[in-house]
Amino acid sequence: MAEASMVVSEQGAVVCERCVVADRPLARLRGLLGRRELPAGEGLLLRPTGAVHTSFMRFPIDVVFLDRELTVVDVVDGLAPWRAAGRRGAHAVLELAAGERARRAIAPRDRLALVPTDAPVAPIPG
């Protein structure tokens, strides 16, 4: 897995303070398996993928489906263990603790960006 990054919205609001990017096959396969929880403020960005499952997981998660430009395609709140979800047009998935999607007000068509954790948070240009 790559270094942790921060995920911010187009307006500069923090969506996820510590996001680990899983961009290799084994990292995507492992995902959150084996964890007892996903604390608020932490997340996992899986790419490329358009679907996820919660088999063998012990807790529900919020799932944010993203296109290639990290624009939100759709969201699933509280995906329970032993379920699966996918969306046509998704190229990446951001997994967050259950309830974080609503708390952070993430909605379809929002543009997100990865920011190195040591960089200041600023609005996305454009």
Side-chain angles (χ1 to χ4, degrees), residues 52-54 57 59-63 65 76-81 83-85 98:
V52 295
H53 68 84
T54 55
M57 288 180 56
F59 53 91
I61 57 172
D62 287 349
V63 181
F65 293 96
V76 174
D77 291 329
L79 185 65
R83 300 289 187 267

Side-chain angles (χ1 to χ4, degrees), residues 49-95:
T49 191
V52 295
H53 68 84
T54 55
S55 300
F56 304 102
M57 288 180 56
R58 302 175 180 164
F59 53 91
I61 57 172
D62 287 349
V63 181
V64 181
F65 293 96
L66 306 163
D67 67 12
R68 290 182 189 274
E69 289 78 37
L70 298 183
T71 300
V72 178
V73 173
D74 199 5
V75 297
V76 174
D77 291 329
L79 185 65
W82 296 99
R83 300 289 187 267
R87 294 297 182 270
R88 183 170 295 194
H91 182 73
V93 174
L94 177 61
E95 297 180 339

Side-chain angles (χ1 to χ4, degrees), residues 7 15 19 43-46 62-64 66 92-96 112:
V7 179
V15 169
C19 180
L44 178 66
L45 179 67
L46 301 151
D62 287 349
V63 181
V64 181
L66 306 163
V93 174
L94 177 61
E95 297 180 339
L96 301 170
L112 306 181

